[in-house]
Amino acid sequence: MARRAQEPGQRNEFGAGTRVEPQADFVSALFSAVTIDEIAELVVQEAESRFGCRSARLVSFLGAADDRQRVRHSYPDIPLSAADVVQIEAVSKQGGAILVISQHAGWVRIASVLSAPQTGTPQAVLMADWPVTDCVPQVCPQAWREFMALVAARLAGTLELADQRLAVERFEKTAQLQSALYAIADLASSELDMPEMLRRIHAVVGGLMYAENFYIALHNAERDSVRFIYFADVKDKRAVDPDEEFPAEEIRNSLTLALVRHGRPAMGPSARLQAEFGLERDQEVYGPDSADWLGVPMIASGEVRGAVVVQSYDEAERYDEEDRALLAFVAQHILTALVRKQAHEELECRVEERTHELTVEVRERQRGEKLQAALYSIADLASSELDMSEMLRRIHAVVDELMYAKNFYIALYSAERSTVRFIYFADEKDPAMYDPEVEIPVEQMRNSLTLGLIRYGRSVMGSARKVARLLAVPRGIGHGTAAEDWLGVPMVAEGEVRGVVAVQSYDWSVHYTEEDRTLLAYVAQHILTALARKQAQAELESRVEDRTRQLADAVHELRDQISERERAEQRLVHETLHDSLTGLPNRSFLYDALERALARLRRDPSHGFAVLFLDLDRFKVVNDSVGHLVGDEMLKEAGARLTTCVRSPDVVARLGGDEFALLLEDTHAPEDACHVAQRVIAELSEPMRIAGKELFTSASIGIALSHERYRSAEELLRDADVAMYRAKAHGRQRFEIFDERLHQEALHLLNLESDLRRALQRSEFEPHFQPIVRLRDLHVVGYEALLRWRHPRRGLLLPGDFLGVAEESGSVEQIDWQMFDKTCREIPTLGTNGSYVTINVSPRHFRSPALAKQMLDLLAAHHLPAHCIRLEVTEGALLDNPDQMLATLDTLRGAGVLAALDDFGTGYSSLSYLHRFPLHALKIDRSFVSALQLGGSGGSGAVVRAVLALAGTLGMEVIAEGIETSEQRDYLLGIGCEHGQGFLFSHARPASEWAVANDH
């Protein structure tokens, strides 16, 4: 353990305690020395000889104090042990101290620091063994301190110079390394092949360190094999194949494989490294041992991809840590260069393969385009106007562009006639061998290659003799001059051979290929198609001529039919736009005329017009009395008279039934329309002689004047119709003009209809209940449910405000059912306690046979007994459909639902109906009750007494409506009426109010 040296006062025999001047020759030699080693040698000798130490060593520091690459230079040049390194670092950190390192056999190892004179920075350490008894450094005599100061002064300049040289060397090495890396990168992107590139990389590494023996190995992790892509060795002369892969099992004792497995650099003699890795030595397999071996792994993405190795068989050439760091750095760049080179070669290989593929593809495409063009040409020739011989000559020219076809012929075979006809024949040796117009019997062709091919049915290629042998042609060469090369293909359609296309060559240097055979076979089928099309075209032209003559005859007939059809269409158009009975324009015609008039008015407001809407008064009576035929004649006469009342541009139209409309163009004032209306009324008032009878009629007319608010013909006719009904309401045989008042009424009706529909959706209708009382004690025996509408803006409305519109719009039934449902829902709230509730049922409901079932289902849904509900019907309902009414009332009576006849006395008051229908009560109309007075003898009292007497006879209950005064009540009691209702007792109120009143 190192300890701090003390300074005892004891002196030794070497004169440490006295002042000893340094010898002059030492000082002279010290300052004459140039290198650090020369200075260190003098210092060591002087220390040992002058002060009595031994084993002295001077360790100098090169480089800045904070330099991580600071170099330790030792003299003598013996490697420092690990303990020496630790002690040197420790004493350096303590500055100018003296550190005792170890003690052994009377000697103590002491390290002394030499600091720079200017900065005090440790620049060297002098280590030596001293006697324990007389240790000069421990006592630090003046002579030793002066010696150390002298040495430190001399070392300062020399070390500074050495530092500068070291910096220059490092810069040069860095530049050399950078140049080497650039060279490796350039080699990776060069055009050199892999062996030459690796050879040059070897040269680059040789410029950085001793690399006479150098190799690069790549490791394949998937196959666990090693490949030595480059190998250079002065002693191991074995040839190494760079493409050969060595499985790991075969080279398991290889230092290279061990390096790859461990993944970290290895440096030292090969024998020592083999022992460290636990490998067996085998020089025959792995080569001779090296004095020094340095290998570094090439790593990418955390995986060892290979190794770079240098080795030396010379003890003088050894590797150090700097070489190891340098080789590791270079190895990664070599790996990058290899990867780039391999990628470049793979890319070139793929480019070459793709270029070849594209070349083949381009050739195939060119060939295909050429073939396609030939086929298009053949197809165009087949549909051209050329005659057969010229078409075949041009087909020959097309085939000649695809292959050698100087000698070319086409033969057609007829199986039906057993003949062969050469429709085209071109041959340089036998030019006129066959006549294209002559059919040759097959017996004369038995020695020909053509007939042999027809019978063979497949394409044939080769010399004439070879083809003849294949086709079993008797003579062995066919007809005519024997060809050096012959190619024939059959033309087949629907599985039968229809002919032959053949080319032949008399030149021994011209031979056909499989590609030519495939091409000619393909072309032959298109030639057959072209021939078929040409023949079909000729046949078609003949048929077209015949058909053209037939069509010319048909055209004349068709023209006559077209003329007749046009006349029929004109009649049909006229009938479509005119009334079949009167011949007047119909509704469609009128609508079109009105739309045109509206469009003209929008363009020019001065073009006013008017619409008169009219129907014949009491026309139904005429139809019912004298028949429809007479009625039709009356309509014809009316139409004729209306036509006389207008000008030529005006329109008189029949809309249907007895309704007519007049469109008066260019009216400038309402008076114009009024004058026409007066003429119409006057004309139609004149008697009509029809079927020997003198008939009379009149007209009610509504007038609508043009206005910018109108957007359609429908709106005009609607308003004219409204005005006509107003004329009828005012006494018939008159006219009314649709004005703002009628417009507002129409809008009011329209809005009211819309409100009614929304009210149904929102359930705004509700029942109010008016009590029916026993007149003598005012006991409530029942209630009448009266309809009320809680309008969101107008408040509570009575039926008179909306019921008429509801009946016209058809929504009254939906309102009634909503009322029925709400009434049934409110009955428990009333707390009737044996009383009943009457509901008013519109006559419309009794038209449905399902009314009784629906009513009983409603009672069941609300869990109400049948006696809680009574129906009130009017006399009009009894007359409307008496049979259905009887069936419905009987069904309800059988279920316990009673019925009352409302407003009795205001209608027909037929006694037969009272007897026929199952009615439980009669309700006397308020018009009779309002006139009753005590002591009076008017007609109302008599009617009421008669009703009471009639009801008593039939066993019916009587209820008087509209009792408003005590006098009326007393009168009714006096004549025997027991029940009544009216404002005297209570107005109609909601069920909730009755519930509160009943609770009190």
Side-chain angles (χ1 to χ4, degrees), residues 653-716:
R654 181 185 174 220
L655 304 182
D658 62 336
E659 293 180 342
F660 295 86
L662 282 67
L663 170 60
L664 308 180
E665 299 277 5
D666 293 323
T667 57
H668 302 290
E671 289 77 10
D672 296 341
C674 294
H675 293 324
V676 174
Q678 289 170 349
R679 286 200 301 271
V680 167
I681 292 172
E683 282 290 331
L684 294 178
S685 298
E686 295 294 327
M688 299 180 183
R689 292 290 300 181
I690 299 173
K693 296 182 178 60
E694 189 176 61
L695 302 176
F696 293 87
T697 188
S698 61
S700 298
I701 303 174
I703 302 173
L705 302 175
S706 60
H707 193 277
E708 60 183 8
R709 70 171 175 269
Y710 291 116
R711 289 291 177 266
S712 66
E714 184 67 35
E715 295 177 359
L716 274 163

Side-chain angles (χ1 to χ4, degrees), residues 620-868:
K620 186 176 184 303
V621 176
V622 174
N623 259 346
D624 293 342
S625 59
V626 295
H628 290 281
L629 292 178
V630 175
D632 290 345
E633 292 300 323
M634 177 178 281
L635 291 174
K636 291 180 184 178
E637 178 64 21
R641 292 187 181 186
L642 290 174
T643 305
T644 63
C645 298
V646 298
R647 302 160 299 173
S648 57
D650 300 334
V651 177
V652 178
R654 181 185 174 220
L655 304 182
D658 62 336
E659 293 180 342
F660 295 86
L662 282 67
L663 170 60
L664 308 180
E665 299 277 5
D666 293 323
T667 57
H668 302 290
E671 289 77 10
D672 296 341
C674 294
H675 293 324
V676 174
Q678 289 170 349
R679 286 200 301 271
V680 167
I681 292 172
E683 282 290 331
L684 294 178
S685 298
E686 295 294 327
M688 299 180 183
R689 292 290 300 181
I690 299 173
K693 296 182 178 60
E694 189 176 61
L695 302 176
F696 293 87
T697 188
S698 61
S700 298
I701 303 174
I703 302 173
L705 302 175
S706 60
H707 193 277
E708 60 183 8
R709 70 171 175 269
Y710 291 116
R711 289 291 177 266
S712 66
E714 184 67 35
E715 295 177 359
L716 274 163
L717 288 177
R718 179 200 63 202
D719 290 352
D721 188 32
V722 170
M724 181 200 71
Y725 277 103
R726 178 57 60 89
K728 281 184 176 293
H730 287 172
R732 303 177 188 271
Q733 199 172 359
R734 57 183 294 122
F735 65 85
E736 289 283 346
I737 298 177
F738 186 85
D739 54 12
E740 188 59 30
R741 179 175 54 84
L742 289 178
H743 178 64
Q744 292 300 325
E745 289 179 1
L747 285 179
H748 173 71
L749 290 176
L750 181 64
N751 292 334
L752 189 57
E753 288 182 12
S754 300
D755 288 348
L756 282 171
R757 298 189 186 282
R758 282 192 292 270
L760 281 169
Q761 295 174 357
R762 300 170 183 171
S763 190
E764 294 176 354
F765 299 101
E766 59 186 49
H768 282 211
F769 300 90
Q770 187 177 43
I772 301 172
V773 302
R774 196 164 49 224
L775 295 179
R776 66 175 180 272
D777 57 6
L778 301 183
H779 174 71
V780 176
V781 297
Y783 297 90
E784 181 179 1
L786 298 175
L787 174 63
R788 298 293 185 267
W789 178 9
R790 194 167 294 281
H791 197 283
R793 296 186 307 276
R794 299 170 60 187
L796 195 65
L797 300 183
L798 299 178
D801 297 328
F802 61 86
L803 201 56
V805 176
E807 289 178 349
E808 291 181 5
S809 64
S811 58
V812 66
E813 294 181 59
Q814 299 177 53
I815 295 173
D816 282 350
W817 281 112
Q818 197 172 101
M819 270 288 296
F820 298 162
D821 183 72
K822 288 188 176 182
T823 299
C824 292
R825 197 183 309 158
E826 298 288 359
I827 285 176
T829 306
L830 290 172
T832 54
N833 295 326
S835 60
Y836 58 85
V837 175
T838 65
I839 55 176
N840 293 278
V841 183
S842 170
R844 288 173 177 264
H845 291 286
F846 289 97
R847 297 173 187 171
S848 171
L851 175 61
K853 183 178 182 305
Q854 291 173 338
M855 189 63 68
L856 294 175
D857 289 344
L858 181 64
L859 293 175
H862 290 279
H863 308 289
L864 295 176
H867 67 81
C868 287

Side-chain angles (χ1 to χ4, degrees), residues 929-949:
V929 174
S930 62
L932 295 178
Q933 293 180 355
L934 289 173
S937 60
S940 295
V943 171
V944 173
R945 287 189 184 91
V947 171
L948 289 171

Side-chain angles (χ1 to χ4, degrees), residues 16-49:
T18 62
R19 181 174 183 81
V20 181
E21 296 292 334
Q23 298 178 3
D25 55 350
F26 168 70
V27 176
S28 175
L30 182 64
F31 283 93
S32 298
V34 176
T35 67
I36 296 175
D37 285 344
E38 292 175 353
I39 296 173
E41 182 180 6
L42 292 171
V43 170
V44 168
Q45 291 176 357
E46 182 71 13
E48 291 180 349
S49 63

Side-chain angles (χ1 to χ4, degrees), residues 82 195 257 289 309 427 521 568 653 678 688 795 993:
L257 182 62
D289 288 337
V309 177
D427 194 279
Q678 289 170 349
M688 299 180 183
E993 295 184 13

Side-chain angles (χ1 to χ4, degrees), residues 603-624:
R603 291 193 300 269
D604 186 359
S606 65
H607 290 287
F609 62 92
V611 176
L612 278 65
F613 193 103
L614 64 95
D615 72 356
L616 303 181
D617 298 329
R618 301 177 64 253
F619 177 74
K620 186 176 184 303
V621 176
V622 174
N623 259 346
D624 293 342

